[in-house]
Amino acid sequence: MDLFTLPDFDGHEQVVFGHDRATGLRAILAIHSTALGPAAGGCRMWAYPSSDEALTDALRLSRGMSYKNAMAELDFGGGKAVIIGDARAHKTPALFQAFGRLVESLGGRYITAEDVGTTTADMEQVATQTRFVSGLARTSGEVGGDPGPKTALGVFLGIRAAVRFQLGRSLEGVGVAVQGLGGVGHPLCRLLAADGARLTVADARAELAEQVRDELGATVVPAEAILEQQAEVLAPCALGAVLNERSIPRLRARVVAGAANNQLAREADGQALMKAGILYAPDYVINAGGIINVAHEYHGGSSEAAVRAAIEKIPERLTAIFERARRESLPTSVVADQMARERLRAGRAG
Ligand code: NAD
């Protein structure tokens, strides 16, 4: 394998392979860019079938973090770590301590946090070895803790801006189909309902959908039917790659705006949405509320009001993307990537 010609290698500054014999740690830590500040991004634990696949994931996810942090106007670059292993079977406190020493060895060029397969408790172990970690348990009154409700707030404000841009109206009476009612989807439904939206919801776990029906009067549909609901807005808040060549022709929404990461299966799907007349809110721009919360936690001395004010900038950013996409006849996904790269270049030059 020629590392520097891999399709997902994008001029990454540094890629570190970490191994610890005593604990069995096998980790890959990718720093895409520190142009705007130390590279920040979570640590994923996954039973990758091969180290090639772990490397590809680390390269792709770390670039995504550069774009996400740049567009959220955070003074952070982009990085990501992956630990190869089954999160249900191979976790030990010592493993995360060894990972903490690996993070510490980079002297602050990379800041870690929890991600898929890792938890606040794991990060507490990391924090015994390094201060370059965020997403720790907080006592009440401190900024931090579960980022889900903050992500939901940003997505809600983003949906409002997208509906205003595409349909020229408020959310009163607008149909919103929400896929996934977990840590983000459920608080998002509360905000949407309070603003007058009509909710149609689905979750792979039927009891979560029933809870939202009972609490907010939402209509529940089977999980496999949610994407093609007759609703002005589709909010994917479950899995990635839901927007693909099979699903896009079946969509009936005029706006797609939700929390899920990597909603487009391929770059070409952004073009397909544009051709279908559907306004797409780029996922890493609309779902930045959580990372904004994590950034404020990391820097310390912040307040809930400051976090909220930073999240309230998400709709302005989205509207700027929508306007430029319309002017230049480009997909919003392409425009968001262009804007993120412009910010990274400006950071490098500055
Ligand atoms: P979560 O695991 O709490 O909730 C996801 C929900 O989706 C679960 O209830 C699950 O049962 C449901 N689901 C899974 N497959 C489904 C399907 N096919 N149809 C319908 N429902 C299905 O996750 P979360 O924290 O709410 O995050 C949701 C999405 O947003 C994820 O893609 C995540 O990566 C992304 N995201 C989350 C945050 C955050 O702050 N939590 C931040 C940025 C992005």
Side-chain angles (χ1 to χ4, degrees), residues 44 68 116 146-152 179-186 202-205 208 223-224 226 236-240 258-261 287-291:
R44 181 165 290 197
K68 182 169 185 157
V116 176
D146 177 14
K150 298 298 190 312
T151 302
Q179 179 191 42
L181 303 165
V184 179
H186 192 159
D203 195 287
R205 290 170 56 198
L208 295 184
E224 54 283 4
I226 190 73
C237 297
L239 329 154
N261 281 314
N287 74 13
I291 189 75

PDB file of all heavy atoms in Angstrom, residues 44 68 116 146-152 179-186 202-205 208 223-224 226 236-240 258-261 287-291, ligand 1:
ATOM      1  N   ARG A  44     -13.017   6.862  17.989  1.00  0.00           N
ATOM      2  CA  ARG A  44     -13.988   5.817  17.664  1.00  0.00           C
ATOM      3  C   ARG A  44     -13.392   4.460  18.006  1.00  0.00           C
ATOM      4  O   ARG A  44     -12.217   4.227  17.724  1.00  0.00           O
ATOM      5  CB  ARG A  44     -14.271   5.917  16.157  1.00  0.00           C
ATOM      6  CG  ARG A  44     -15.265   4.939  15.640  1.00  0.00           C
ATOM      7  CD  ARG A  44     -15.732   5.354  14.257  1.00  0.00           C
ATOM      8  NE  ARG A  44     -16.562   6.557  14.322  1.00  0.00           N
ATOM      9  CZ  ARG A  44     -17.377   6.967  13.349  1.00  0.00           C
ATOM     10  NH1 ARG A  44     -17.456   6.290  12.229  1.00  0.00           N
ATOM     11  NH2 ARG A  44     -18.098   8.063  13.477  1.00  0.00           N
ATOM     12  N   LYS A  68     -15.695  20.509   9.484  1.00  0.00           N
ATOM     13  CA  LYS A  68     -16.759  20.818  10.452  1.00  0.00           C
ATOM     14  C   LYS A  68     -16.315  21.936  11.400  1.00  0.00           C
ATOM     15  O   LYS A  68     -17.040  22.899  11.623  1.00  0.00           O
ATOM     16  CB  LYS A  68     -17.067  19.554  11.246  1.00  0.00           C
ATOM     17  CG  LYS A  68     -18.177  19.682  12.251  1.00  0.00           C
ATOM     18  CD  LYS A  68     -18.516  18.277  12.735  1.00  0.00           C
ATOM     19  CE  LYS A  68     -19.692  18.274  13.649  1.00  0.00           C
ATOM     20  NZ  LYS A  68     -20.354  16.977  13.694  1.00  0.00           N
ATOM     21  N   VAL A 116     -18.405   7.199  18.419  1.00  0.00           N
ATOM     22  CA  VAL A 116     -19.045   5.880  18.326  1.00  0.00           C
ATOM     23  C   VAL A 116     -18.170   4.849  19.052  1.00  0.00           C
ATOM     24  O   VAL A 116     -16.966   4.752  18.786  1.00  0.00           O
ATOM     25  CB  VAL A 116     -19.202   5.477  16.834  1.00  0.00           C
ATOM     26  CG1 VAL A 116     -19.769   4.072  16.712  1.00  0.00           C
ATOM     27  CG2 VAL A 116     -20.074   6.485  16.112  1.00  0.00           C
ATOM     28  N   ASP A 146     -23.663  15.904  27.901  1.00  0.00           N
ATOM     29  CA  ASP A 146     -24.260  15.331  26.690  1.00  0.00           C
ATOM     30  C   ASP A 146     -24.449  16.394  25.611  1.00  0.00           C
ATOM     31  O   ASP A 146     -25.216  17.345  25.792  1.00  0.00           O
ATOM     32  CB  ASP A 146     -25.612  14.705  27.075  1.00  0.00           C
ATOM     33  CG  ASP A 146     -26.344  14.152  25.864  1.00  0.00           C
ATOM     34  OD1 ASP A 146     -25.724  14.011  24.787  1.00  0.00           O
ATOM     35  OD2 ASP A 146     -27.549  13.853  26.004  1.00  0.00           O
ATOM     36  N   PRO A 147     -23.789  16.229  24.454  1.00  0.00           N
ATOM     37  CA  PRO A 147     -23.935  17.246  23.404  1.00  0.00           C
ATOM     38  C   PRO A 147     -25.239  17.130  22.608  1.00  0.00           C
ATOM     39  O   PRO A 147     -25.579  18.036  21.856  1.00  0.00           O
ATOM     40  CB  PRO A 147     -22.718  16.995  22.498  1.00  0.00           C
ATOM     41  CG  PRO A 147     -22.333  15.582  22.737  1.00  0.00           C
ATOM     42  CD  PRO A 147     -22.792  15.199  24.108  1.00  0.00           C
ATOM     43  N   GLY A 148     -25.996  16.017  22.798  1.00  0.00           N
ATOM     44  CA  GLY A 148     -27.189  15.769  21.971  1.00  0.00           C
ATOM     45  C   GLY A 148     -28.175  16.931  21.931  1.00  0.00           C
ATOM     46  O   GLY A 148     -28.558  17.383  20.838  1.00  0.00           O
ATOM     47  N   PRO A 149     -28.594  17.463  23.080  1.00  0.00           N
ATOM     48  CA  PRO A 149     -29.568  18.565  23.041  1.00  0.00           C
ATOM     49  C   PRO A 149     -29.017  19.817  22.344  1.00  0.00           C
ATOM     50  O   PRO A 149     -29.774  20.572  21.718  1.00  0.00           O
ATOM     51  CB  PRO A 149     -29.837  18.850  24.531  1.00  0.00           C
ATOM     52  CG  PRO A 149     -29.508  17.566  25.232  1.00  0.00           C
ATOM     53  CD  PRO A 149     -28.373  16.966  24.456  1.00  0.00           C
ATOM     54  N   LYS A 150     -27.704  20.032  22.421  1.00  0.00           N
ATOM     55  CA  LYS A 150     -27.109  21.199  21.744  1.00  0.00           C
ATOM     56  C   LYS A 150     -27.102  20.967  20.228  1.00  0.00           C
ATOM     57  O   LYS A 150     -27.349  21.890  19.448  1.00  0.00           O
ATOM     58  CB  LYS A 150     -25.677  21.445  22.246  1.00  0.00           C
ATOM     59  CG  LYS A 150     -25.605  21.754  23.729  1.00  0.00           C
ATOM     60  CD  LYS A 150     -26.368  23.026  24.044  1.00  0.00           C
ATOM     61  CE  LYS A 150     -26.167  23.546  25.449  1.00  0.00           C
ATOM     62  NZ  LYS A 150     -26.292  22.593  26.511  1.00  0.00           N
ATOM     63  N   THR A 151     -26.813  19.746  19.840  1.00  0.00           N
ATOM     64  CA  THR A 151     -26.885  19.421  18.409  1.00  0.00           C
ATOM     65  C   THR A 151     -28.320  19.633  17.927  1.00  0.00           C
ATOM     66  O   THR A 151     -28.555  20.203  16.853  1.00  0.00           O
ATOM     67  CB  THR A 151     -26.446  17.963  18.179  1.00  0.00           C
ATOM     68  OG1 THR A 151     -25.119  17.815  18.679  1.00  0.00           O
ATOM     69  CG2 THR A 151     -26.457  17.597  16.698  1.00  0.00           C
ATOM     70  N   ALA A 152     -29.294  19.185  18.739  1.00  0.00           N
ATOM     71  CA  ALA A 152     -30.705  19.330  18.356  1.00  0.00           C
ATOM     72  C   ALA A 152     -31.078  20.799  18.173  1.00  0.00           C
ATOM     73  O   ALA A 152     -31.790  21.157  17.231  1.00  0.00           O
ATOM     74  CB  ALA A 152     -31.596  18.690  19.423  1.00  0.00           C
ATOM     75  N   GLN A 179     -36.338  10.950  11.174  1.00  0.00           N
ATOM     76  CA  GLN A 179     -35.852   9.557  11.204  1.00  0.00           C
ATOM     77  C   GLN A 179     -34.858   9.412  12.355  1.00  0.00           C
ATOM     78  O   GLN A 179     -33.779  10.004  12.303  1.00  0.00           O
ATOM     79  CB  GLN A 179     -35.140   9.223   9.879  1.00  0.00           C
ATOM     80  CG  GLN A 179     -34.600   7.798   9.850  1.00  0.00           C
ATOM     81  CD  GLN A 179     -33.674   7.554   8.664  1.00  0.00           C
ATOM     82  OE1 GLN A 179     -32.851   8.403   8.343  1.00  0.00           O
ATOM     83  NE2 GLN A 179     -33.813   6.414   8.027  1.00  0.00           N
ATOM     84  N   GLY A 180     -35.203   8.655  13.381  1.00  0.00           N
ATOM     85  CA  GLY A 180     -34.285   8.447  14.507  1.00  0.00           C
ATOM     86  C   GLY A 180     -34.641   9.373  15.661  1.00  0.00           C
ATOM     87  O   GLY A 180     -34.648  10.599  15.501  1.00  0.00           O
ATOM     88  N   LEU A 181     -34.953   8.789  16.818  1.00  0.00           N
ATOM     89  CA  LEU A 181     -35.453   9.578  17.953  1.00  0.00           C
ATOM     90  C   LEU A 181     -34.587   9.348  19.179  1.00  0.00           C
ATOM     91  O   LEU A 181     -35.074   9.138  20.285  1.00  0.00           O
ATOM     92  CB  LEU A 181     -36.917   9.188  18.219  1.00  0.00           C
ATOM     93  CG  LEU A 181     -37.822   9.376  16.992  1.00  0.00           C
ATOM     94  CD1 LEU A 181     -39.144   8.659  17.180  1.00  0.00           C
ATOM     95  CD2 LEU A 181     -38.034  10.861  16.704  1.00  0.00           C
ATOM     96  N   GLY A 182     -33.282   9.376  18.979  1.00  0.00           N
ATOM     97  CA  GLY A 182     -32.341   9.155  20.075  1.00  0.00           C
ATOM     98  C   GLY A 182     -31.932  10.464  20.727  1.00  0.00           C
ATOM     99  O   GLY A 182     -32.748  11.380  20.904  1.00  0.00           O
ATOM    100  N   GLY A 183     -30.655  10.551  21.073  1.00  0.00           N
ATOM    101  CA  GLY A 183     -30.123  11.694  21.824  1.00  0.00           C
ATOM    102  C   GLY A 183     -30.319  13.025  21.133  1.00  0.00           C
ATOM    103  O   GLY A 183     -30.407  14.065  21.796  1.00  0.00           O
ATOM    104  N   VAL A 184     -30.422  13.036  19.801  1.00  0.00           N
ATOM    105  CA  VAL A 184     -30.671  14.279  19.066  1.00  0.00           C
ATOM    106  C   VAL A 184     -32.126  14.350  18.599  1.00  0.00           C
ATOM    107  O   VAL A 184     -32.787  15.378  18.765  1.00  0.00           O
ATOM    108  CB  VAL A 184     -29.735  14.407  17.841  1.00  0.00           C
ATOM    109  CG1 VAL A 184     -30.030  15.685  17.079  1.00  0.00           C
ATOM    110  CG2 VAL A 184     -28.271  14.366  18.265  1.00  0.00           C
ATOM    111  N   GLY A 185     -32.619  13.262  18.015  1.00  0.00           N
ATOM    112  CA  GLY A 185     -33.951  13.276  17.390  1.00  0.00           C
ATOM    113  C   GLY A 185     -35.063  13.652  18.354  1.00  0.00           C
ATOM    114  O   GLY A 185     -35.959  14.429  18.007  1.00  0.00           O
ATOM    115  N   HIS A 186     -34.999  13.122  19.571  1.00  0.00           N
ATOM    116  CA  HIS A 186     -36.098  13.384  20.516  1.00  0.00           C
ATOM    117  C   HIS A 186     -36.140  14.859  20.948  1.00  0.00           C
ATOM    118  O   HIS A 186     -37.187  15.516  20.810  1.00  0.00           O
ATOM    119  CB  HIS A 186     -35.994  12.419  21.710  1.00  0.00           C
ATOM    120  CG  HIS A 186     -37.216  12.422  22.569  1.00  0.00           C
ATOM    121  ND1 HIS A 186     -37.547  11.396  23.404  1.00  0.00           N
ATOM    122  CD2 HIS A 186     -38.209  13.340  22.732  1.00  0.00           C
ATOM    123  CE1 HIS A 186     -38.683  11.687  24.035  1.00  0.00           C
ATOM    124  NE2 HIS A 186     -39.096  12.860  23.640  1.00  0.00           N
ATOM    125  N   ALA A 202     -40.210   8.139  13.100  1.00  0.00           N
ATOM    126  CA  ALA A 202     -39.950   6.694  13.090  1.00  0.00           C
ATOM    127  C   ALA A 202     -38.641   6.427  13.797  1.00  0.00           C
ATOM    128  O   ALA A 202     -37.711   7.246  13.752  1.00  0.00           O
ATOM    129  CB  ALA A 202     -39.876   6.181  11.654  1.00  0.00           C
ATOM    130  N   ASP A 203     -38.582   5.287  14.459  1.00  0.00           N
ATOM    131  CA  ASP A 203     -37.324   4.818  15.028  1.00  0.00           C
ATOM    132  C   ASP A 203     -37.310   3.301  14.891  1.00  0.00           C
ATOM    133  O   ASP A 203     -38.363   2.658  14.934  1.00  0.00           O
ATOM    134  CB  ASP A 203     -37.193   5.220  16.505  1.00  0.00           C
ATOM    135  CG  ASP A 203     -35.756   5.068  16.995  1.00  0.00           C
ATOM    136  OD1 ASP A 203     -35.297   3.911  17.189  1.00  0.00           O
ATOM    137  OD2 ASP A 203     -35.079   6.098  17.148  1.00  0.00           O
ATOM    138  N   ALA A 204     -36.120   2.743  14.730  1.00  0.00           N
ATOM    139  CA  ALA A 204     -36.004   1.285  14.654  1.00  0.00           C
ATOM    140  C   ALA A 204     -36.519   0.665  15.958  1.00  0.00           C
ATOM    141  O   ALA A 204     -36.935  -0.499  15.960  1.00  0.00           O
ATOM    142  CB  ALA A 204     -34.544   0.903  14.392  1.00  0.00           C
ATOM    143  N   ARG A 205     -36.464   1.428  17.043  1.00  0.00           N
ATOM    144  CA  ARG A 205     -37.025   0.951  18.324  1.00  0.00           C
ATOM    145  C   ARG A 205     -38.416   1.559  18.495  1.00  0.00           C
ATOM    146  O   ARG A 205     -38.543   2.760  18.772  1.00  0.00           O
ATOM    147  CB  ARG A 205     -36.102   1.354  19.476  1.00  0.00           C
ATOM    148  CG  ARG A 205     -34.782   0.557  19.460  1.00  0.00           C
ATOM    149  CD  ARG A 205     -33.797   1.117  20.444  1.00  0.00           C
ATOM    150  NE  ARG A 205     -34.345   1.169  21.781  1.00  0.00           N
ATOM    151  CZ  ARG A 205     -33.825   1.926  22.767  1.00  0.00           C
ATOM    152  NH1 ARG A 205     -32.760   2.677  22.535  1.00  0.00           N
ATOM    153  NH2 ARG A 205     -34.357   1.925  23.962  1.00  0.00           N
ATOM    154  N   LEU A 208     -39.527   4.065  21.293  1.00  0.00           N
ATOM    155  CA  LEU A 208     -39.099   5.475  21.262  1.00  0.00           C
ATOM    156  C   LEU A 208     -40.081   6.308  20.445  1.00  0.00           C
ATOM    157  O   LEU A 208     -40.409   7.443  20.797  1.00  0.00           O
ATOM    158  CB  LEU A 208     -37.679   5.594  20.681  1.00  0.00           C
ATOM    159  CG  LEU A 208     -36.560   4.948  21.494  1.00  0.00           C
ATOM    160  CD1 LEU A 208     -35.202   5.215  20.852  1.00  0.00           C
ATOM    161  CD2 LEU A 208     -36.557   5.483  22.927  1.00  0.00           C
ATOM    162  N   ALA A 223     -40.271   2.341  10.349  1.00  0.00           N
ATOM    163  CA  ALA A 223     -38.940   2.889  10.054  1.00  0.00           C
ATOM    164  C   ALA A 223     -38.631   2.864   8.556  1.00  0.00           C
ATOM    165  O   ALA A 223     -38.064   3.811   8.014  1.00  0.00           O
ATOM    166  CB  ALA A 223     -37.878   2.116  10.836  1.00  0.00           C
ATOM    167  N   GLU A 224     -39.082   1.805   7.865  1.00  0.00           N
ATOM    168  CA  GLU A 224     -38.717   1.692   6.438  1.00  0.00           C
ATOM    169  C   GLU A 224     -39.512   2.652   5.557  1.00  0.00           C
ATOM    170  O   GLU A 224     -39.200   2.814   4.376  1.00  0.00           O
ATOM    171  CB  GLU A 224     -38.817   0.239   5.939  1.00  0.00           C
ATOM    172  CG  GLU A 224     -40.116  -0.491   6.154  1.00  0.00           C
ATOM    173  CD  GLU A 224     -40.321  -0.983   7.600  1.00  0.00           C
ATOM    174  OE1 GLU A 224     -39.479  -0.706   8.479  1.00  0.00           O
ATOM    175  OE2 GLU A 224     -41.358  -1.630   7.850  1.00  0.00           O
ATOM    176  N   ILE A 226     -40.175   6.036   6.475  1.00  0.00           N
ATOM    177  CA  ILE A 226     -40.036   7.440   6.905  1.00  0.00           C
ATOM    178  C   ILE A 226     -39.460   8.338   5.807  1.00  0.00           C
ATOM    179  O   ILE A 226     -39.840   9.502   5.681  1.00  0.00           O
ATOM    180  CB  ILE A 226     -39.206   7.563   8.218  1.00  0.00           C
ATOM    181  CG1 ILE A 226     -39.269   8.987   8.788  1.00  0.00           C
ATOM    182  CG2 ILE A 226     -37.764   7.114   8.035  1.00  0.00           C
ATOM    183  CD1 ILE A 226     -40.551   9.373   9.418  1.00  0.00           C
ATOM    184  N   PRO A 236     -33.000  13.541   8.733  1.00  0.00           N
ATOM    185  CA  PRO A 236     -32.346  12.268   9.071  1.00  0.00           C
ATOM    186  C   PRO A 236     -31.521  12.422  10.355  1.00  0.00           C
ATOM    187  O   PRO A 236     -30.596  13.233  10.398  1.00  0.00           O
ATOM    188  CB  PRO A 236     -31.417  12.002   7.865  1.00  0.00           C
ATOM    189  CG  PRO A 236     -31.831  12.981   6.804  1.00  0.00           C
ATOM    190  CD  PRO A 236     -32.407  14.158   7.545  1.00  0.00           C
ATOM    191  N   CYS A 237     -31.903  11.682  11.386  1.00  0.00           N
ATOM    192  CA  CYS A 237     -31.197  11.766  12.675  1.00  0.00           C
ATOM    193  C   CYS A 237     -30.854  10.366  13.181  1.00  0.00           C
ATOM    194  O   CYS A 237     -30.899  10.102  14.391  1.00  0.00           O
ATOM    195  CB  CYS A 237     -32.064  12.487  13.707  1.00  0.00           C
ATOM    196  SG  CYS A 237     -32.429  14.189  13.271  1.00  0.00           S
ATOM    197  N   ALA A 238     -30.524   9.459  12.235  1.00  0.00           N
ATOM    198  CA  ALA A 238     -30.205   8.091  12.661  1.00  0.00           C
ATOM    199  C   ALA A 238     -28.860   7.673  12.090  1.00  0.00           C
ATOM    200  O   ALA A 238     -27.844   7.687  12.799  1.00  0.00           O
ATOM    201  CB  ALA A 238     -31.305   7.137  12.236  1.00  0.00           C
ATOM    202  N   LEU A 239     -28.833   7.342  10.797  1.00  0.00           N
ATOM    203  CA  LEU A 239     -27.644   6.729  10.198  1.00  0.00           C
ATOM    204  C   LEU A 239     -27.080   7.591   9.088  1.00  0.00           C
ATOM    205  O   LEU A 239     -27.769   8.451   8.554  1.00  0.00           O
ATOM    206  CB  LEU A 239     -28.019   5.411   9.507  1.00  0.00           C
ATOM    207  CG  LEU A 239     -29.146   4.595  10.064  1.00  0.00           C
ATOM    208  CD1 LEU A 239     -29.740   3.773   8.949  1.00  0.00           C
ATOM    209  CD2 LEU A 239     -28.550   3.725  11.146  1.00  0.00           C
ATOM    210  N   GLY A 240     -25.869   7.246   8.660  1.00  0.00           N
ATOM    211  CA  GLY A 240     -25.269   7.884   7.492  1.00  0.00           C
ATOM    212  C   GLY A 240     -25.769   7.234   6.208  1.00  0.00           C
ATOM    213  O   GLY A 240     -26.491   6.226   6.239  1.00  0.00           O
ATOM    214  N   GLY A 258     -30.944  17.474   8.742  1.00  0.00           N
ATOM    215  CA  GLY A 258     -30.970  16.658   9.958  1.00  0.00           C
ATOM    216  C   GLY A 258     -29.586  16.496  10.542  1.00  0.00           C
ATOM    217  O   GLY A 258     -28.594  17.018  10.010  1.00  0.00           O
ATOM    218  N   ALA A 259     -29.504  15.726  11.625  1.00  0.00           N
ATOM    219  CA  ALA A 259     -28.268  15.641  12.412  1.00  0.00           C
ATOM    220  C   ALA A 259     -27.288  14.571  11.939  1.00  0.00           C
ATOM    221  O   ALA A 259     -26.097  14.649  12.255  1.00  0.00           O
ATOM    222  CB  ALA A 259     -28.622  15.340  13.871  1.00  0.00           C
ATOM    223  N   ALA A 260     -27.761  13.555  11.241  1.00  0.00           N
ATOM    224  CA  ALA A 260     -26.896  12.398  10.961  1.00  0.00           C
ATOM    225  C   ALA A 260     -25.620  12.829  10.236  1.00  0.00           C
ATOM    226  O   ALA A 260     -25.657  13.749   9.403  1.00  0.00           O
ATOM    227  CB  ALA A 260     -27.649  11.368  10.136  1.00  0.00           C
ATOM    228  N   ASN A 261     -24.521  12.182  10.552  1.00  0.00           N
ATOM    229  CA  ASN A 261     -23.247  12.443   9.878  1.00  0.00           C
ATOM    230  C   ASN A 261     -23.218  11.715   8.536  1.00  0.00           C
ATOM    231  O   ASN A 261     -23.805  10.638   8.404  1.00  0.00           O
ATOM    232  CB  ASN A 261     -22.088  11.932  10.736  1.00  0.00           C
ATOM    233  CG  ASN A 261     -21.761  12.892  11.860  1.00  0.00           C
ATOM    234  OD1 ASN A 261     -21.675  14.103  11.648  1.00  0.00           O
ATOM    235  ND2 ASN A 261     -21.584  12.367  13.056  1.00  0.00           N
ATOM    236  N   ASN A 287     -25.111  20.189  11.975  1.00  0.00           N
ATOM    237  CA  ASN A 287     -25.041  19.381  13.210  1.00  0.00           C
ATOM    238  C   ASN A 287     -23.875  19.770  14.127  1.00  0.00           C
ATOM    239  O   ASN A 287     -23.453  18.989  14.973  1.00  0.00           O
ATOM    240  CB  ASN A 287     -25.041  17.879  12.883  1.00  0.00           C
ATOM    241  CG  ASN A 287     -23.724  17.380  12.309  1.00  0.00           C
ATOM    242  OD1 ASN A 287     -22.698  18.054  12.351  1.00  0.00           O
ATOM    243  ND2 ASN A 287     -23.742  16.171  11.772  1.00  0.00           N
ATOM    244  N   ALA A 288     -23.385  21.023  13.974  1.00  0.00           N
ATOM    245  CA  ALA A 288     -22.187  21.431  14.725  1.00  0.00           C
ATOM    246  C   ALA A 288     -22.465  21.855  16.171  1.00  0.00           C
ATOM    247  O   ALA A 288     -21.527  22.165  16.912  1.00  0.00           O
ATOM    248  CB  ALA A 288     -21.484  22.581  13.989  1.00  0.00           C
ATOM    249  N   GLY A 289     -23.727  21.857  16.596  1.00  0.00           N
ATOM    250  CA  GLY A 289     -24.037  22.299  17.967  1.00  0.00           C
ATOM    251  C   GLY A 289     -23.280  21.510  19.024  1.00  0.00           C
ATOM    252  O   GLY A 289     -22.810  22.071  20.023  1.00  0.00           O
ATOM    253  N   GLY A 290     -23.147  20.207  18.794  1.00  0.00           N
ATOM    254  CA  GLY A 290     -22.460  19.355  19.771  1.00  0.00           C
ATOM    255  C   GLY A 290     -20.984  19.697  19.888  1.00  0.00           C
ATOM    256  O   GLY A 290     -20.443  19.837  20.994  1.00  0.00           O
ATOM    257  N   ILE A 291     -20.313  19.886  18.752  1.00  0.00           N
ATOM    258  CA  ILE A 291     -18.863  20.179  18.804  1.00  0.00           C
ATOM    259  C   ILE A 291     -18.650  21.593  19.371  1.00  0.00           C
ATOM    260  O   ILE A 291     -17.650  21.851  20.059  1.00  0.00           O
ATOM    261  CB  ILE A 291     -18.176  19.981  17.424  1.00  0.00           C
ATOM    262  CG1 ILE A 291     -16.646  20.071  17.536  1.00  0.00           C
ATOM    263  CG2 ILE A 291     -18.642  20.928  16.372  1.00  0.00           C
ATOM    264  CD1 ILE A 291     -15.988  18.886  18.124  1.00  0.00           C
TER     265      ILE A 291
HETATM  266  P1  NAD B   1     -28.597   7.812  19.012  1.00  0.00           P
HETATM  267  O1  NAD B   1     -27.891   6.511  18.861  1.00  0.00           O
HETATM  268  O2  NAD B   1     -28.938   8.328  20.378  1.00  0.00           O
HETATM  269  O3  NAD B   1     -29.999   7.761  18.200  1.00  0.00           O
HETATM  270  C1  NAD B   1     -30.118   7.208  16.926  1.00  0.00           C
HETATM  271  C2  NAD B   1     -31.512   6.596  16.838  1.00  0.00           C
HETATM  272  O4  NAD B   1     -31.728   6.159  15.504  1.00  0.00           O
HETATM  273  C3  NAD B   1     -31.686   5.374  17.739  1.00  0.00           C
HETATM  274  O5  NAD B   1     -32.825   5.567  18.579  1.00  0.00           O
HETATM  275  C4  NAD B   1     -31.898   4.220  16.760  1.00  0.00           C
HETATM  276  O6  NAD B   1     -32.795   3.245  17.242  1.00  0.00           O
HETATM  277  C5  NAD B   1     -32.454   4.943  15.559  1.00  0.00           C
HETATM  278  N1  NAD B   1     -32.284   4.229  14.289  1.00  0.00           N
HETATM  279  C6  NAD B   1     -31.256   3.463  13.885  1.00  0.00           C
HETATM  280  N2  NAD B   1     -31.504   2.986  12.665  1.00  0.00           N
HETATM  281  C7  NAD B   1     -32.698   3.477  12.271  1.00  0.00           C
HETATM  282  C8  NAD B   1     -33.474   3.363  11.106  1.00  0.00           C
HETATM  283  N3  NAD B   1     -33.073   2.643  10.056  1.00  0.00           N
HETATM  284  N4  NAD B   1     -34.671   3.996  11.056  1.00  0.00           N
HETATM  285  C9  NAD B   1     -35.101   4.733  12.096  1.00  0.00           C
HETATM  286  N5  NAD B   1     -34.394   4.872  13.237  1.00  0.00           N
HETATM  287  C10 NAD B   1     -33.207   4.255  13.312  1.00  0.00           C
HETATM  288  O7  NAD B   1     -27.735   8.882  18.193  1.00  0.00           O
HETATM  289  P2  NAD B   1     -27.813  10.473  18.309  1.00  0.00           P
HETATM  290  O8  NAD B   1     -26.817  10.943  19.286  1.00  0.00           O
HETATM  291  O9  NAD B   1     -29.236  10.903  18.414  1.00  0.00           O
HETATM  292  O10 NAD B   1     -27.247  10.890  16.867  1.00  0.00           O
HETATM  293  C11 NAD B   1     -28.050  10.746  15.707  1.00  0.00           C
HETATM  294  C12 NAD B   1     -27.210  11.032  14.473  1.00  0.00           C
HETATM  295  O11 NAD B   1     -26.661  12.338  14.560  1.00  0.00           O
HETATM  296  C13 NAD B   1     -26.005  10.095  14.294  1.00  0.00           C
HETATM  297  O12 NAD B   1     -25.787   9.926  12.908  1.00  0.00           O
HETATM  298  C14 NAD B   1     -24.856  10.886  14.886  1.00  0.00           C
HETATM  299  O13 NAD B   1     -23.615  10.523  14.313  1.00  0.00           O
HETATM  300  C15 NAD B   1     -25.242  12.291  14.474  1.00  0.00           C
HETATM  301  N6  NAD B   1     -24.665  13.338  15.348  1.00  0.00           N
HETATM  302  C16 NAD B   1     -24.923  13.318  16.678  1.00  0.00           C
HETATM  303  C17 NAD B   1     -24.390  14.323  17.488  1.00  0.00           C
HETATM  304  C18 NAD B   1     -24.666  14.362  18.963  1.00  0.00           C
HETATM  305  O14 NAD B   1     -24.394  15.408  19.585  1.00  0.00           O
HETATM  306  N7  NAD B   1     -25.194  13.316  19.573  1.00  0.00           N
HETATM  307  C19 NAD B   1     -23.616  15.354  16.919  1.00  0.00           C
HETATM  308  C20 NAD B   1     -23.396  15.362  15.539  1.00  0.00           C
HETATM  309  C21 NAD B   1     -23.935  14.332  14.758  1.00  0.00           C
END
